[in-house]
Amino acid sequence: MMETGIPYSSIEDVHIISRWDAGQKFCIRITIQDGSLLLQAHNSHLRDQWLHSISWKNADFITRVAHENIIVALSPLLENNYPTQEICGFFSKHCKNSPRSSIVIELFTPVVMRIMKHNTDFGKYPRMRGFVQEYIQALNCQNDGFNVVQNFVRSMHSPSSACPHPRVLPNMVAVCLAAVYTCYEDRKNAMQSNSSIVLDKQEWEIKLLCHIGIMETLSSYSDWRLVLGSLLQPIPFPNDALAHEFFTSKMKAVLRNIASDEHCDVHQTILGIRDGKEGWFHMYIPGTLACDDEGELWGIMLKTLIHCCCKRKKFLNSLNKMVGPIMLLALRENEAAMEVLCAMLEFDVVESNDMKMQMVTTLQSTSMGKRMYAQLCERQIALRELQQKGGPKKLTLPSKSTDADLAKMLSSGSFGNLECLSLAFTHVTSACASDLIKLPSLRYLNLWSTQFGDTGLQMISEYLQKLQVLNLCETPVTDKSLVCLSALKNLRKLNLNSTSLSALTFEGLKTKLPALQECDVRYTDAW
């Protein structure tokens, strides 16, 4: 009979035979649908091994009541000991299958608290970390939801100003990181074309928000921020998470707490972990995917860093590639951005005179900026001399700049010498044309991937007769305004890639623009 295997699912009960004749006393009985089996061992130790092995492997098929009875029986054994990997797996199943069971809070809480306070290596005990993750999700399923999770995290810190258990924070961060990776692995698997996995978006978001919320709670304790900031400084999250607006948006609360800390060694953890390595500060620059708040968080980071005790000139030199976003914030009257621009001018960390002039005109576009710049000029005679030479010849607005930002910039100083203007990837529209036509020397205009349409193009075609290079790639212009380009007789280079240009209009333009040397018409009807 035993040549045929018996599936665990067919086992109804398994127990020790306590009374038997002398020759067969180490036996267990396995009850199945058609009867029962007796298994005899040589000694009690081997018999117990068989019993527990069958019980654990059959755990998926036992009733909920039996499940809970086993947990109740095991709980006294765990008062001073860690649960084994098998027990952790057993507990995890209960958290997942019965998250609102009274056992979760009453019996599992002290077990989890002991793990979090004393465990030193989740790498060796992955099931233990999995059990903690499932326990936290079970807490999140209670009536009060995340408040129950938050109260658990707070209880781990204790009411004192400093947590007496140094292992709690790194263990909690390890659990959160593993949970985030699991979330995005599940999302990735569900998005595959041949996947049969159906992902519940709401449930997925609740799970992710729970662990981001835990990190936010951790960051609210001043004694935990340094270690938390250090653990998060290498940005230890999957690329899928960093490219997901939902994740980067929710992480802002954690980073705001770290960046706002007055201690230098804490808030500097938002910078790269070493020179040449980008950190959270670089990730939330205005114009990037993560920046969805018009630069509010980045402004807080900038303010804290410019006021900290780090070597200012070294830090200012590192900002050379971020001048555009800084000017955008300064235009929007962010005081820290204005301070940075003044400091960069004072320490002479920018080599280009054109860029310096852009910075000066940006400062002069607001009343506060004017005051800061006036105070700077009292100390820097060279800046006054630079300004007397006239406005810049080149100007590039940061991505996400608006019509209002451009108008504010152009009204702040003299731009009669401006020859080159790039508005690529900004939010400008045809409304800015009334400001552009006031630039008599303009020869190069880049409007790539903007909402600059027919109305604006008709206007600049009439006024900007010196234009030699015009980029309208991926703009909503149509033949209605494109025919007007024939008035720009000095046009040498024209980019109409991915517009609504027709073949007929293009043939007409070629005959009416004698100076035209290059014209990109890819992905149009004229291609």
Side-chain angles (χ1 to χ4, degrees), residues 196-241:
S196 60
I197 302 172
V198 178
L199 191 68
D200 186 322
K201 184 179 179 183
Q202 184 178 7
E203 183 181 331
W204 182 88
E205 288 183 354
I206 290 173
K207 182 178 180 181
L208 182 63
L209 283 173
C210 173
H211 289 92
I212 296 177
I214 289 175
M215 289 187 282
E216 182 181 353
T217 304
L218 297 174
S219 68
S220 66
Y221 289 95
S222 58
D223 63 309
W224 273 351
R225 283 194 204 118
L226 176 58
V227 176
L228 177 63
S230 300
L231 291 172
L232 298 183
Q233 190 172 12
I235 315 185
F237 296 101
N239 291 333
D240 289 346

mmCIF file of all heavy atoms in Angstrom, residues 196-241:
data_model
loop_
_atom_site.group_PDB
_atom_site.id
_atom_site.type_symbol
_atom_site.label_atom_id
_atom_site.label_comp_id
_atom_site.label_asym_id
_atom_site.label_seq_id
_atom_site.Cartn_x
_atom_site.Cartn_y
_atom_site.Cartn_z
ATOM 1 N N SER A 196 -0.226 35.830 -15.647
ATOM 2 C CA SER A 196 -1.608 35.533 -15.249
ATOM 3 C C SER A 196 -1.931 36.161 -13.902
ATOM 4 O O SER A 196 -3.022 35.981 -13.364
ATOM 5 C CB SER A 196 -1.814 34.019 -15.179
ATOM 6 O OG SER A 196 -0.914 33.442 -14.228
ATOM 7 N N ILE A 197 -0.980 36.920 -13.342
ATOM 8 C CA ILE A 197 -1.156 37.546 -12.030
ATOM 9 C C ILE A 197 -1.997 38.803 -12.177
ATOM 10 O O ILE A 197 -1.728 39.659 -13.018
ATOM 11 C CB ILE A 197 0.206 37.900 -11.400
ATOM 12 C CG1 ILE A 197 1.079 36.643 -11.263
ATOM 13 C CG2 ILE A 197 0.012 38.558 -10.049
ATOM 14 C CD1 ILE A 197 2.499 36.927 -10.840
ATOM 15 N N VAL A 198 -3.025 38.921 -11.345
ATOM 16 C CA VAL A 198 -3.865 40.123 -11.321
ATOM 17 C C VAL A 198 -3.547 40.896 -10.048
ATOM 18 O O VAL A 198 -3.699 40.374 -8.940
ATOM 19 C CB VAL A 198 -5.364 39.766 -11.382
ATOM 20 C CG1 VAL A 198 -6.211 41.025 -11.315
ATOM 21 C CG2 VAL A 198 -5.670 38.976 -12.642
ATOM 22 N N LEU A 199 -3.093 42.131 -10.192
ATOM 23 C CA LEU A 199 -2.678 42.936 -9.050
ATOM 24 C C LEU A 199 -3.813 43.866 -8.639
ATOM 25 O O LEU A 199 -4.341 44.625 -9.462
ATOM 26 C CB LEU A 199 -1.434 43.760 -9.409
ATOM 27 C CG LEU A 199 -0.713 44.450 -8.248
ATOM 28 C CD1 LEU A 199 -0.057 43.415 -7.342
ATOM 29 C CD2 LEU A 199 0.349 45.407 -8.777
ATOM 30 N N ASP A 200 -4.201 43.790 -7.374
ATOM 31 C CA ASP A 200 -5.204 44.709 -6.831
ATOM 32 C C ASP A 200 -4.497 46.022 -6.517
ATOM 33 O O ASP A 200 -3.739 46.116 -5.549
ATOM 34 C CB ASP A 200 -5.826 44.111 -5.562
ATOM 35 C CG ASP A 200 -6.979 44.952 -5.022
ATOM 36 O OD1 ASP A 200 -6.879 46.198 -5.093
ATOM 37 O OD2 ASP A 200 -7.965 44.370 -4.538
ATOM 38 N N LYS A 201 -4.720 47.046 -7.349
ATOM 39 C CA LYS A 201 -3.989 48.305 -7.220
ATOM 40 C C LYS A 201 -4.191 48.959 -5.859
ATOM 41 O O LYS A 201 -3.236 49.445 -5.240
ATOM 42 C CB LYS A 201 -4.409 49.269 -8.333
ATOM 43 C CG LYS A 201 -3.620 50.577 -8.332
ATOM 44 C CD LYS A 201 -4.044 51.489 -9.469
ATOM 45 C CE LYS A 201 -3.251 52.789 -9.432
ATOM 46 N NZ LYS A 201 -3.694 53.726 -10.506
ATOM 47 N N GLN A 202 -5.428 48.958 -5.382
ATOM 48 C CA GLN A 202 -5.707 49.594 -4.096
ATOM 49 C C GLN A 202 -4.998 48.877 -2.957
ATOM 50 O O GLN A 202 -4.379 49.505 -2.085
ATOM 51 C CB GLN A 202 -7.214 49.624 -3.844
ATOM 52 C CG GLN A 202 -7.596 50.363 -2.561
ATOM 53 C CD GLN A 202 -9.099 50.428 -2.364
ATOM 54 O OE1 GLN A 202 -9.862 49.814 -3.113
ATOM 55 N NE2 GLN A 202 -9.542 51.159 -1.362
ATOM 56 N N GLU A 203 -5.079 47.554 -2.957
ATOM 57 C CA GLU A 203 -4.405 46.767 -1.919
ATOM 58 C C GLU A 203 -2.890 46.963 -2.000
ATOM 59 O O GLU A 203 -2.208 47.071 -0.971
ATOM 60 C CB GLU A 203 -4.772 45.297 -2.087
ATOM 61 C CG GLU A 203 -4.181 44.388 -1.029
ATOM 62 C CD GLU A 203 -4.542 42.931 -1.250
ATOM 63 O OE1 GLU A 203 -5.627 42.685 -1.834
ATOM 64 O OE2 GLU A 203 -3.750 42.055 -0.852
ATOM 65 N N TRP A 204 -2.369 47.022 -3.226
ATOM 66 C CA TRP A 204 -0.921 47.214 -3.431
ATOM 67 C C TRP A 204 -0.484 48.570 -2.881
ATOM 68 O O TRP A 204 0.547 48.673 -2.201
ATOM 69 C CB TRP A 204 -0.616 47.117 -4.925
ATOM 70 C CG TRP A 204 0.827 47.243 -5.277
ATOM 71 C CD1 TRP A 204 1.762 46.244 -5.335
ATOM 72 C CD2 TRP A 204 1.522 48.450 -5.618
ATOM 73 N NE1 TRP A 204 2.980 46.748 -5.688
ATOM 74 C CE2 TRP A 204 2.876 48.094 -5.877
ATOM 75 C CE3 TRP A 204 1.151 49.782 -5.737
ATOM 76 C CZ2 TRP A 204 3.836 49.029 -6.228
ATOM 77 C CZ3 TRP A 204 2.106 50.720 -6.095
ATOM 78 C CH2 TRP A 204 3.431 50.346 -6.346
ATOM 79 N N GLU A 205 -1.242 49.613 -3.152
ATOM 80 C CA GLU A 205 -0.895 50.955 -2.674
ATOM 81 C C GLU A 205 -0.971 51.038 -1.155
ATOM 82 O O GLU A 205 -0.136 51.686 -0.519
ATOM 83 C CB GLU A 205 -1.816 51.992 -3.312
ATOM 84 C CG GLU A 205 -1.539 52.236 -4.791
ATOM 85 C CD GLU A 205 -2.415 53.316 -5.386
ATOM 86 O OE1 GLU A 205 -3.339 53.800 -4.668
ATOM 87 O OE2 GLU A 205 -2.204 53.692 -6.557
ATOM 88 N N ILE A 206 -1.970 50.386 -0.561
ATOM 89 C CA ILE A 206 -2.108 50.395 0.903
ATOM 90 C C ILE A 206 -0.881 49.744 1.543
ATOM 91 O O ILE A 206 -0.341 50.237 2.542
ATOM 92 C CB ILE A 206 -3.401 49.663 1.330
ATOM 93 C CG1 ILE A 206 -4.629 50.499 0.937
ATOM 94 C CG2 ILE A 206 -3.401 49.390 2.827
ATOM 95 C CD1 ILE A 206 -5.950 49.784 1.155
ATOM 96 N N LYS A 207 -0.432 48.644 0.951
ATOM 97 C CA LYS A 207 0.742 47.946 1.490
ATOM 98 C C LYS A 207 1.991 48.823 1.382
ATOM 99 O O LYS A 207 2.771 48.937 2.342
ATOM 100 C CB LYS A 207 0.946 46.635 0.734
ATOM 101 C CG LYS A 207 2.113 45.796 1.252
ATOM 102 C CD LYS A 207 2.214 44.485 0.489
ATOM 103 C CE LYS A 207 3.383 43.644 0.997
ATOM 104 N NZ LYS A 207 3.515 42.363 0.243
ATOM 105 N N LEU A 208 2.177 49.461 0.221
ATOM 106 C CA LEU A 208 3.352 50.309 0.025
ATOM 107 C C LEU A 208 3.299 51.521 0.949
ATOM 108 O O LEU A 208 4.304 51.883 1.580
ATOM 109 C CB LEU A 208 3.425 50.762 -1.434
ATOM 110 C CG LEU A 208 4.630 51.630 -1.825
ATOM 111 C CD1 LEU A 208 5.928 50.835 -1.641
ATOM 112 C CD2 LEU A 208 4.518 52.111 -3.266
ATOM 113 N N LEU A 209 2.123 52.154 1.054
ATOM 114 C CA LEU A 209 1.972 53.334 1.922
ATOM 115 C C LEU A 209 2.256 52.998 3.374
ATOM 116 O O LEU A 209 2.778 53.833 4.120
ATOM 117 C CB LEU A 209 0.560 53.901 1.786
ATOM 118 C CG LEU A 209 0.265 54.716 0.529
ATOM 119 C CD1 LEU A 209 -1.210 55.071 0.460
ATOM 120 C CD2 LEU A 209 1.118 55.977 0.501
ATOM 121 N N CYS A 210 1.907 51.785 3.774
ATOM 122 C CA CYS A 210 2.153 51.365 5.157
ATOM 123 C C CYS A 210 3.636 51.435 5.489
ATOM 124 O O CYS A 210 4.030 52.005 6.515
ATOM 125 C CB CYS A 210 1.608 49.954 5.365
ATOM 126 S SG CYS A 210 2.018 49.243 6.985
ATOM 127 N N HIS A 211 4.487 50.915 4.615
ATOM 128 C CA HIS A 211 5.922 50.860 4.916
ATOM 129 C C HIS A 211 6.602 52.212 4.708
ATOM 130 O O HIS A 211 7.567 52.542 5.413
ATOM 131 C CB HIS A 211 6.578 49.760 4.085
ATOM 132 C CG HIS A 211 6.191 48.389 4.555
ATOM 133 N ND1 HIS A 211 5.120 47.702 4.036
ATOM 134 C CD2 HIS A 211 6.704 47.593 5.531
ATOM 135 C CE1 HIS A 211 5.006 46.536 4.659
ATOM 136 N NE2 HIS A 211 5.949 46.448 5.551
ATOM 137 N N ILE A 212 6.106 53.016 3.763
ATOM 138 C CA ILE A 212 6.629 54.381 3.651
ATOM 139 C C ILE A 212 6.214 55.172 4.881
ATOM 140 O O ILE A 212 6.990 55.975 5.421
ATOM 141 C CB ILE A 212 6.123 55.055 2.365
ATOM 142 C CG1 ILE A 212 6.656 54.332 1.130
ATOM 143 C CG2 ILE A 212 6.547 56.522 2.326
ATOM 144 C CD1 ILE A 212 6.146 54.881 -0.195
ATOM 145 N N GLY A 213 4.980 54.927 5.359
ATOM 146 C CA GLY A 213 4.507 55.589 6.577
ATOM 147 C C GLY A 213 5.335 55.222 7.797
ATOM 148 O O GLY A 213 5.563 56.059 8.688
ATOM 149 N N ILE A 214 5.799 53.976 7.858
ATOM 150 C CA ILE A 214 6.667 53.563 8.969
ATOM 151 C C ILE A 214 7.963 54.370 8.948
ATOM 152 O O ILE A 214 8.435 54.860 9.975
ATOM 153 C CB ILE A 214 6.968 52.050 8.884
ATOM 154 C CG1 ILE A 214 5.713 51.247 9.218
ATOM 155 C CG2 ILE A 214 8.116 51.674 9.832
ATOM 156 C CD1 ILE A 214 5.865 49.748 9.038
ATOM 157 N N MET A 215 8.540 54.531 7.738
ATOM 158 C CA MET A 215 9.780 55.313 7.633
ATOM 159 C C MET A 215 9.542 56.775 8.015
ATOM 160 O O MET A 215 10.412 57.421 8.603
ATOM 161 C CB MET A 215 10.351 55.193 6.221
ATOM 162 C CG MET A 215 10.926 53.820 5.913
ATOM 163 S SD MET A 215 11.791 53.710 4.315
ATOM 164 C CE MET A 215 10.401 53.606 3.193
ATOM 165 N N GLU A 216 8.359 57.297 7.681
ATOM 166 C CA GLU A 216 8.039 58.672 8.082
ATOM 167 C C GLU A 216 7.954 58.779 9.606
ATOM 168 O O GLU A 216 8.449 59.742 10.201
ATOM 169 C CB GLU A 216 6.710 59.107 7.455
ATOM 170 C CG GLU A 216 6.336 60.539 7.792
ATOM 171 C CD GLU A 216 5.016 60.964 7.195
ATOM 172 O OE1 GLU A 216 4.441 60.191 6.394
ATOM 173 O OE2 GLU A 216 4.537 62.071 7.525
ATOM 174 N N THR A 217 7.346 57.779 10.246
ATOM 175 C CA THR A 217 7.273 57.766 11.710
ATOM 176 C C THR A 217 8.668 57.671 12.317
ATOM 177 O O THR A 217 8.986 58.353 13.302
ATOM 178 C CB THR A 217 6.402 56.586 12.191
ATOM 179 O OG1 THR A 217 5.107 56.664 11.579
ATOM 180 C CG2 THR A 217 6.243 56.617 13.706
ATOM 181 N N LEU A 218 9.511 56.831 11.728
ATOM 182 C CA LEU A 218 10.893 56.718 12.215
ATOM 183 C C LEU A 218 11.608 58.061 12.123
ATOM 184 O O LEU A 218 12.369 58.441 13.018
ATOM 185 C CB LEU A 218 11.659 55.675 11.393
ATOM 186 C CG LEU A 218 11.176 54.221 11.450
ATOM 187 C CD1 LEU A 218 11.961 53.356 10.472
ATOM 188 C CD2 LEU A 218 11.289 53.661 12.858
ATOM 189 N N SER A 219 11.364 58.801 11.032
ATOM 190 C CA SER A 219 12.053 60.073 10.814
ATOM 191 C C SER A 219 11.545 61.181 11.732
ATOM 192 O O SER A 219 12.155 62.244 11.804
ATOM 193 C CB SER A 219 11.903 60.521 9.354
ATOM 194 O OG SER A 219 10.562 60.878 9.059
ATOM 195 N N SER A 220 10.428 60.940 12.424
ATOM 196 C CA SER A 220 9.896 61.959 13.324
ATOM 197 C C SER A 220 10.641 61.990 14.661
ATOM 198 O O SER A 220 10.479 62.928 15.440
ATOM 199 C CB SER A 220 8.404 61.723 13.572
ATOM 200 O OG SER A 220 8.190 60.513 14.290
ATOM 201 N N TYR A 221 11.469 60.974 14.928
ATOM 202 C CA TYR A 221 12.250 60.919 16.167
ATOM 203 C C TYR A 221 13.663 61.445 15.900
ATOM 204 O O TYR A 221 14.381 60.910 15.056
ATOM 205 C CB TYR A 221 12.311 59.489 16.705
ATOM 206 C CG TYR A 221 10.992 59.001 17.274
ATOM 207 C CD1 TYR A 221 10.112 58.257 16.499
ATOM 208 C CD2 TYR A 221 10.625 59.301 18.585
ATOM 209 C CE1 TYR A 221 8.896 57.810 17.003
ATOM 210 C CE2 TYR A 221 9.413 58.860 19.106
ATOM 211 C CZ TYR A 221 8.556 58.120 18.314
ATOM 212 O OH TYR A 221 7.353 57.695 18.822
ATOM 213 N N SER A 222 14.037 62.490 16.608
ATOM 214 C CA SER A 222 15.327 63.143 16.353
ATOM 215 C C SER A 222 16.513 62.206 16.571
ATOM 216 O O SER A 222 17.525 62.304 15.869
ATOM 217 C CB SER A 222 15.468 64.387 17.238
ATOM 218 O OG SER A 222 15.349 64.040 18.613
ATOM 219 N N ASP A 223 16.421 61.284 17.553
ATOM 220 C CA ASP A 223 17.557 60.401 17.837
ATOM 221 C C ASP A 223 17.706 59.306 16.781
ATOM 222 O O ASP A 223 18.738 58.646 16.701
ATOM 223 C CB ASP A 223 17.411 59.776 19.225
ATOM 224 C CG ASP A 223 16.189 58.882 19.344
ATOM 225 O OD1 ASP A 223 15.094 59.355 18.978
ATOM 226 O OD2 ASP A 223 16.309 57.720 19.788
ATOM 227 N N TRP A 224 16.677 59.099 15.972
ATOM 228 C CA TRP A 224 16.736 58.071 14.928
ATOM 229 C C TRP A 224 17.141 58.640 13.569
ATOM 230 O O TRP A 224 17.482 57.887 12.656
ATOM 231 C CB TRP A 224 15.368 57.387 14.797
ATOM 232 C CG TRP A 224 15.183 56.227 15.742
ATOM 233 C CD1 TRP A 224 16.127 55.656 16.534
ATOM 234 C CD2 TRP A 224 13.969 55.492 15.960
ATOM 235 N NE1 TRP A 224 15.596 54.603 17.238
ATOM 236 C CE2 TRP A 224 14.266 54.482 16.915
ATOM 237 C CE3 TRP A 224 12.677 55.580 15.459
ATOM 238 C CZ2 TRP A 224 13.304 53.580 17.366
ATOM 239 C CZ3 TRP A 224 11.718 54.678 15.914
ATOM 240 C CH2 TRP A 224 12.022 53.687 16.853
ATOM 241 N N ARG A 225 17.081 59.964 13.394
ATOM 242 C CA ARG A 225 17.249 60.541 12.056
ATOM 243 C C ARG A 225 18.641 60.308 11.469
ATOM 244 O O ARG A 225 18.778 60.088 10.269
ATOM 245 C CB ARG A 225 16.956 62.050 12.087
ATOM 246 C CG ARG A 225 15.479 62.352 12.129
ATOM 247 C CD ARG A 225 15.186 63.807 11.831
ATOM 248 N NE ARG A 225 13.903 64.157 12.426
ATOM 249 C CZ ARG A 225 13.722 65.062 13.356
ATOM 250 N NH1 ARG A 225 14.757 65.760 13.807
ATOM 251 N NH2 ARG A 225 12.525 65.315 13.828
ATOM 252 N N LEU A 226 19.682 60.386 12.284
ATOM 253 C CA LEU A 226 21.036 60.223 11.756
ATOM 254 C C LEU A 226 21.227 58.835 11.159
ATOM 255 O O LEU A 226 21.698 58.690 10.018
ATOM 256 C CB LEU A 226 22.080 60.467 12.849
ATOM 257 C CG LEU A 226 23.542 60.226 12.429
ATOM 258 C CD1 LEU A 226 23.913 61.097 11.240
ATOM 259 C CD2 LEU A 226 24.489 60.477 13.596
ATOM 260 N N VAL A 227 20.862 57.798 11.908
ATOM 261 C CA VAL A 227 21.016 56.429 11.408
ATOM 262 C C VAL A 227 20.084 56.196 10.227
ATOM 263 O O VAL A 227 20.469 55.590 9.215
ATOM 264 C CB VAL A 227 20.746 55.409 12.533
ATOM 265 C CG1 VAL A 227 20.816 53.985 11.979
ATOM 266 C CG2 VAL A 227 21.750 55.582 13.664
ATOM 267 N N LEU A 228 18.845 56.698 10.325
ATOM 268 C CA LEU A 228 17.901 56.530 9.218
ATOM 269 C C LEU A 228 18.426 57.208 7.954
ATOM 270 O O LEU A 228 18.404 56.624 6.871
ATOM 271 C CB LEU A 228 16.535 57.120 9.608
ATOM 272 C CG LEU A 228 15.459 57.080 8.509
ATOM 273 C CD1 LEU A 228 15.136 55.642 8.136
ATOM 274 C CD2 LEU A 228 14.203 57.816 8.967
ATOM 275 N N GLY A 229 18.906 58.455 8.101
ATOM 276 C CA GLY A 229 19.451 59.171 6.957
ATOM 277 C C GLY A 229 20.638 58.442 6.348
ATOM 278 O O GLY A 229 20.775 58.368 5.120
ATOM 279 N N SER A 230 21.488 57.869 7.195
ATOM 280 C CA SER A 230 22.660 57.130 6.706
ATOM 281 C C SER A 230 22.259 55.864 5.961
ATOM 282 O O SER A 230 22.866 55.502 4.944
ATOM 283 C CB SER A 230 23.576 56.768 7.888
ATOM 284 O OG SER A 230 24.010 57.933 8.558
ATOM 285 N N LEU A 231 21.223 55.184 6.464
ATOM 286 C CA LEU A 231 20.758 53.958 5.812
ATOM 287 C C LEU A 231 20.084 54.251 4.465
ATOM 288 O O LEU A 231 20.162 53.442 3.537
ATOM 289 C CB LEU A 231 19.777 53.218 6.727
ATOM 290 C CG LEU A 231 20.373 52.595 7.999
ATOM 291 C CD1 LEU A 231 19.274 52.068 8.910
ATOM 292 C CD2 LEU A 231 21.341 51.473 7.651
ATOM 293 N N LEU A 232 19.436 55.416 4.369
ATOM 294 C CA LEU A 232 18.755 55.779 3.131
ATOM 295 C C LEU A 232 19.645 56.570 2.177
ATOM 296 O O LEU A 232 19.275 56.785 1.022
ATOM 297 C CB LEU A 232 17.498 56.612 3.442
ATOM 298 C CG LEU A 232 16.406 55.928 4.268
ATOM 299 C CD1 LEU A 232 15.210 56.851 4.428
ATOM 300 C CD2 LEU A 232 15.966 54.613 3.631
ATOM 301 N N GLN A 233 20.807 57.016 2.631
ATOM 302 C CA GLN A 233 21.677 57.863 1.806
ATOM 303 C C GLN A 233 22.086 57.210 0.485
ATOM 304 O O GLN A 233 22.121 57.901 -0.548
ATOM 305 C CB GLN A 233 22.924 58.263 2.599
ATOM 306 C CG GLN A 233 23.760 59.327 1.901
ATOM 307 C CD GLN A 233 24.887 59.848 2.785
ATOM 308 O OE1 GLN A 233 25.187 59.277 3.838
ATOM 309 N NE2 GLN A 233 25.513 60.943 2.381
ATOM 310 N N PRO A 234 22.349 55.904 0.438
ATOM 311 C CA PRO A 234 22.704 55.297 -0.866
ATOM 312 C C PRO A 234 21.496 55.115 -1.794
ATOM 313 O O PRO A 234 21.641 54.567 -2.879
ATOM 314 C CB PRO A 234 23.287 53.928 -0.465
ATOM 315 C CG PRO A 234 23.501 53.985 1.008
ATOM 316 C CD PRO A 234 22.513 54.944 1.550
ATOM 317 N N ILE A 235 20.318 55.580 -1.369
ATOM 318 C CA ILE A 235 19.050 55.400 -2.102
ATOM 319 C C ILE A 235 18.854 53.914 -2.410
ATOM 320 O O ILE A 235 18.901 53.482 -3.571
ATOM 321 C CB ILE A 235 18.995 56.239 -3.391
ATOM 322 C CG1 ILE A 235 19.485 57.666 -3.131
ATOM 323 C CG2 ILE A 235 17.594 56.252 -3.979
ATOM 324 C CD1 ILE A 235 19.356 58.604 -4.312
ATOM 325 N N PRO A 236 18.626 53.099 -1.362
ATOM 326 C CA PRO A 236 18.609 51.636 -1.527
ATOM 327 C C PRO A 236 17.268 51.072 -1.983
ATOM 328 O O PRO A 236 16.808 50.051 -1.469
ATOM 329 C CB PRO A 236 18.937 51.163 -0.106
ATOM 330 C CG PRO A 236 18.281 52.193 0.768
ATOM 331 C CD PRO A 236 18.395 53.504 0.028
ATOM 332 N N PHE A 237 16.635 51.710 -2.957
ATOM 333 C CA PHE A 237 15.337 51.258 -3.442
ATOM 334 C C PHE A 237 15.459 50.781 -4.891
ATOM 335 O O PHE A 237 16.362 51.212 -5.617
ATOM 336 C CB PHE A 237 14.304 52.383 -3.341
ATOM 337 C CG PHE A 237 14.013 52.820 -1.927
ATOM 338 C CD1 PHE A 237 14.587 53.967 -1.406
ATOM 339 C CD2 PHE A 237 13.171 52.067 -1.117
ATOM 340 C CE1 PHE A 237 14.332 54.362 -0.106
ATOM 341 C CE2 PHE A 237 12.907 52.459 0.182
ATOM 342 C CZ PHE A 237 13.494 53.606 0.693
ATOM 343 N N PRO A 238 14.544 49.937 -5.337
ATOM 344 C CA PRO A 238 14.623 49.451 -6.728
ATOM 345 C C PRO A 238 14.388 50.582 -7.718
ATOM 346 O O PRO A 238 13.686 51.565 -7.425
ATOM 347 C CB PRO A 238 13.503 48.404 -6.795
ATOM 348 C CG PRO A 238 12.561 48.757 -5.688
ATOM 349 C CD PRO A 238 13.411 49.336 -4.606
ATOM 350 N N ASN A 239 14.953 50.449 -8.898
ATOM 351 C CA ASN A 239 14.808 51.476 -9.938
ATOM 352 C C ASN A 239 13.346 51.702 -10.316
ATOM 353 O O ASN A 239 12.947 52.819 -10.648
ATOM 354 C CB ASN A 239 15.613 51.089 -11.185
ATOM 355 C CG ASN A 239 17.113 51.151 -10.939
ATOM 356 O OD1 ASN A 239 17.571 51.914 -10.091
ATOM 357 N ND2 ASN A 239 17.868 50.343 -11.648
ATOM 358 N N ASP A 240 12.543 50.635 -10.271
ATOM 359 C CA ASP A 240 11.126 50.772 -10.582
ATOM 360 C C ASP A 240 10.440 51.732 -9.616
ATOM 361 O O ASP A 240 9.541 52.484 -10.005
ATOM 362 C CB ASP A 240 10.426 49.408 -10.527
ATOM 363 C CG ASP A 240 10.827 48.504 -11.687
ATOM 364 O OD1 ASP A 240 11.423 49.036 -12.647
ATOM 365 O OD2 ASP A 240 10.569 47.299 -11.629
ATOM 366 N N ALA A 241 10.851 51.691 -8.353
ATOM 367 C CA ALA A 241 10.262 52.588 -7.354
ATOM 368 C C ALA A 241 10.696 54.029 -7.600
ATOM 369 O O ALA A 241 9.884 54.963 -7.538
ATOM 370 C CB ALA A 241 10.670 52.141 -5.951
#
